[in-house]
Each structure stands twice: as structure tokens, then as C-alpha cells.
Short mmCIF file of all heavy atoms in Angstrom, two decimals:
data_model
loop_
_atom_site.label_atom_id
_atom_site.label_comp_id
_atom_site.label_asym_id
_atom_site.label_seq_id
_atom_site.Cartn_x
_atom_site.Cartn_y
_atom_site.Cartn_z
N ALA A 256 76.46 59.13 29.68
CA ALA A 256 75.67 58.04 29.03
C ALA A 256 76.26 56.79 29.59
O ALA A 256 77.35 56.56 29.75
CB ALA A 256 75.75 58.12 27.52
N VAL A 257 75.38 55.73 29.77
CA VAL A 257 75.64 54.47 30.32
C VAL A 257 76.54 53.80 29.29
O VAL A 257 76.37 53.89 28.08
CB VAL A 257 74.44 53.64 30.61
CG1 VAL A 257 73.57 53.32 29.42
CG2 VAL A 257 74.75 52.37 31.37
N GLY A 258 77.45 52.99 29.83
CA GLY A 258 78.30 52.16 28.88
C GLY A 258 79.56 52.88 28.42
O GLY A 258 79.90 53.89 28.90
N HIS A 259 80.08 52.23 27.37
CA HIS A 259 81.29 52.82 26.77
C HIS A 259 81.22 52.71 25.26
O HIS A 259 80.30 52.13 24.71
CB HIS A 259 82.67 51.99 27.36
CG HIS A 259 82.75 52.09 28.77
ND1 HIS A 259 83.29 53.21 29.42
CD2 HIS A 259 82.35 51.23 29.81
CE1 HIS A 259 83.22 53.00 30.77
NE2 HIS A 259 82.75 51.84 31.02
N GLY A 260 82.29 53.29 24.62
CA GLY A 260 82.39 53.06 23.19
C GLY A 260 81.35 53.85 22.40
O GLY A 260 80.80 54.89 22.82
N ILE A 261 81.20 53.47 21.19
CA ILE A 261 80.39 54.21 20.17
C ILE A 261 78.82 54.26 20.75
O ILE A 261 78.15 55.22 20.41
CB ILE A 261 80.45 53.69 18.82
CG1 ILE A 261 79.83 54.55 17.83
CG2 ILE A 261 79.80 52.23 18.69
CD1 ILE A 261 80.64 55.88 17.63
N GLU A 262 78.34 53.29 21.32
CA GLU A 262 77.01 53.31 21.81
C GLU A 262 76.80 54.36 22.79
O GLU A 262 75.82 55.24 22.81
CB GLU A 262 76.62 51.97 22.52
CG GLU A 262 76.54 50.81 21.47
CD GLU A 262 77.86 50.21 21.27
OE1 GLU A 262 78.82 50.59 21.94
OE2 GLU A 262 78.02 49.20 20.39
N ALA A 263 77.78 54.54 23.81
CA ALA A 263 77.70 55.69 24.78
C ALA A 263 77.78 57.09 24.03
O ALA A 263 77.09 57.99 24.46
CB ALA A 263 78.75 55.51 25.81
N ALA A 264 78.72 57.14 23.08
CA ALA A 264 78.85 58.36 22.32
C ALA A 264 77.61 58.82 21.67
O ALA A 264 77.15 59.95 21.66
CB ALA A 264 79.97 58.25 21.36
N ASN A 265 76.93 57.82 21.04
CA ASN A 265 75.78 58.17 20.27
C ASN A 265 74.58 58.58 21.22
O ASN A 265 73.77 59.41 20.94
CB ASN A 265 75.24 56.85 19.40
CG ASN A 265 76.06 56.70 18.17
OD1 ASN A 265 76.65 57.67 17.67
ND2 ASN A 265 76.22 55.54 17.69
N LEU A 266 74.52 57.93 22.45
CA LEU A 266 73.52 58.16 23.39
C LEU A 266 73.63 59.49 23.96
O LEU A 266 72.73 60.25 24.07
CB LEU A 266 73.58 57.11 24.50
CG LEU A 266 72.34 56.94 25.45
CD1 LEU A 266 71.12 56.58 24.63
CD2 LEU A 266 72.70 55.81 26.52
N SER A 267 74.87 59.93 24.22
CA SER A 267 74.97 61.30 24.79
C SER A 267 74.76 62.33 23.74
O SER A 267 74.33 63.43 24.04
CB SER A 267 76.36 61.49 25.40
OG SER A 267 77.40 61.24 24.52
N ALA A 268 75.14 61.98 22.48
CA ALA A 268 74.87 63.00 21.39
C ALA A 268 73.39 63.17 21.24
O ALA A 268 72.92 64.28 20.92
CB ALA A 268 75.53 62.46 20.05
N LEU A 269 72.62 62.08 21.43
CA LEU A 269 71.12 62.18 21.24
C LEU A 269 70.64 63.06 22.46
O LEU A 269 69.79 63.96 22.25
CB LEU A 269 70.51 60.87 21.41
CG LEU A 269 68.96 60.78 21.53
CD1 LEU A 269 68.38 61.37 20.29
CD2 LEU A 269 68.49 59.35 21.71
N ALA A 270 71.21 62.93 23.61
CA ALA A 270 70.81 63.79 24.69
C ALA A 270 71.03 65.23 24.44
O ALA A 270 70.26 66.16 24.76
CB ALA A 270 71.46 63.30 26.02
N ILE A 271 72.36 65.60 23.93
CA ILE A 271 72.69 67.01 23.68
C ILE A 271 71.85 67.58 22.66
O ILE A 271 71.32 68.70 22.80
CB ILE A 271 74.12 67.04 23.28
CG1 ILE A 271 75.06 66.99 24.50
CG2 ILE A 271 74.40 68.37 22.55
CD1 ILE A 271 76.52 67.23 24.18
N ASN A 272 71.56 66.88 21.51
CA ASN A 272 70.72 67.40 20.45
C ASN A 272 69.32 67.56 20.84
O ASN A 272 68.72 68.54 20.45
CB ASN A 272 70.93 66.49 19.18
CG ASN A 272 72.16 66.75 18.40
OD1 ASN A 272 72.45 67.87 17.97
ND2 ASN A 272 73.10 65.77 18.31
N THR A 273 68.81 66.67 21.66
CA THR A 273 67.36 66.91 22.19
C THR A 273 67.42 68.10 23.07
O THR A 273 66.45 68.91 23.11
CB THR A 273 66.90 65.67 22.89
OG1 THR A 273 66.98 64.44 22.06
CG2 THR A 273 65.52 65.78 23.37
N TYR A 274 68.43 68.25 23.93
CA TYR A 274 68.50 69.42 24.87
C TYR A 274 68.52 70.76 24.02
O TYR A 274 67.71 71.68 24.35
CB TYR A 274 69.77 69.25 25.61
CG TYR A 274 70.03 70.39 26.63
CD1 TYR A 274 69.15 70.83 27.52
CD2 TYR A 274 71.28 71.02 26.62
CE1 TYR A 274 69.41 71.80 28.40
CE2 TYR A 274 71.64 72.00 27.46
CZ TYR A 274 70.68 72.35 28.36
OH TYR A 274 70.95 73.44 29.25
N ARG A 275 69.25 70.76 22.96
CA ARG A 275 69.34 71.98 22.16
C ARG A 275 68.02 72.21 21.39
O ARG A 275 67.52 73.39 21.31
CB ARG A 275 70.53 71.88 21.19
CG ARG A 275 71.88 71.94 21.84
CD ARG A 275 73.04 71.70 20.80
NE ARG A 275 74.32 71.70 21.48
CZ ARG A 275 75.39 71.28 20.99
NH1 ARG A 275 75.37 70.64 19.82
NH2 ARG A 275 76.59 71.37 21.59
N TRP A 276 67.56 71.24 20.91
CA TRP A 276 66.21 71.31 20.15
C TRP A 276 65.09 71.90 21.08
O TRP A 276 64.41 72.89 20.70
CB TRP A 276 65.82 69.89 19.53
CG TRP A 276 64.36 69.88 18.97
CD1 TRP A 276 63.92 70.40 17.89
CD2 TRP A 276 63.40 69.25 19.68
NE1 TRP A 276 62.60 70.12 17.68
CE2 TRP A 276 62.20 69.44 18.76
CE3 TRP A 276 63.15 68.50 20.85
CZ2 TRP A 276 61.00 68.96 19.10
CZ3 TRP A 276 61.87 68.03 21.22
CH2 TRP A 276 60.75 68.23 20.34
N SER A 277 64.94 71.35 22.26
CA SER A 277 64.01 71.75 23.14
C SER A 277 64.23 73.18 23.67
O SER A 277 63.33 74.13 23.70
CB SER A 277 63.78 70.82 24.29
OG SER A 277 62.77 71.29 25.16
N ARG A 278 65.50 73.38 23.92
CA ARG A 278 65.93 74.74 24.51
C ARG A 278 65.67 75.85 23.58
O ARG A 278 65.17 76.99 23.83
CB ARG A 278 67.34 74.62 24.92
CG ARG A 278 67.89 75.85 25.70
CD ARG A 278 69.33 75.68 25.93
NE ARG A 278 70.10 75.71 24.62
CZ ARG A 278 71.21 74.99 24.38
NH1 ARG A 278 71.70 74.14 25.28
NH2 ARG A 278 71.83 75.18 23.21
N ARG A 279 65.99 75.59 22.27
CA ARG A 279 65.86 76.60 21.27
C ARG A 279 64.39 76.85 20.79
O ARG A 279 64.13 77.92 20.20
CB ARG A 279 66.66 76.21 19.98
CG ARG A 279 68.11 76.28 20.23
CD ARG A 279 68.98 75.48 19.17
NE ARG A 279 70.39 75.56 19.51
CZ ARG A 279 71.43 74.85 18.91
NH1 ARG A 279 70.98 74.11 17.87
NH2 ARG A 279 72.65 74.97 19.26
#
């Protein structure tokens, strides 16, 4: 995810959870 800190963590968490939701 672009950037650093909590914003980047939230952004990559959104990517992972969307990935799992669609995959499942």
C-alpha cells in the first residue's frame, strides 16, 4: 500500500479482505 503508518496498514487490510471476499 502507498504511504506509511496507519493509513497504509488500513489500505492493505482493505485489499486483503476484498481479495478474500471475492476469492471465497
Side-chain angles (χ1 to χ4, degrees):
V257 66
H259 300 279
I261 194 65
E262 293 83 4
N265 287 337
L266 197 56
S267 62
L269 174 61
I271 280 188
N272 281 297
T273 305
Y274 178 54
R275 291 172 178 167
W276 168 76
S277 179
R278 189 185 67 215
R279 290 164 182 171

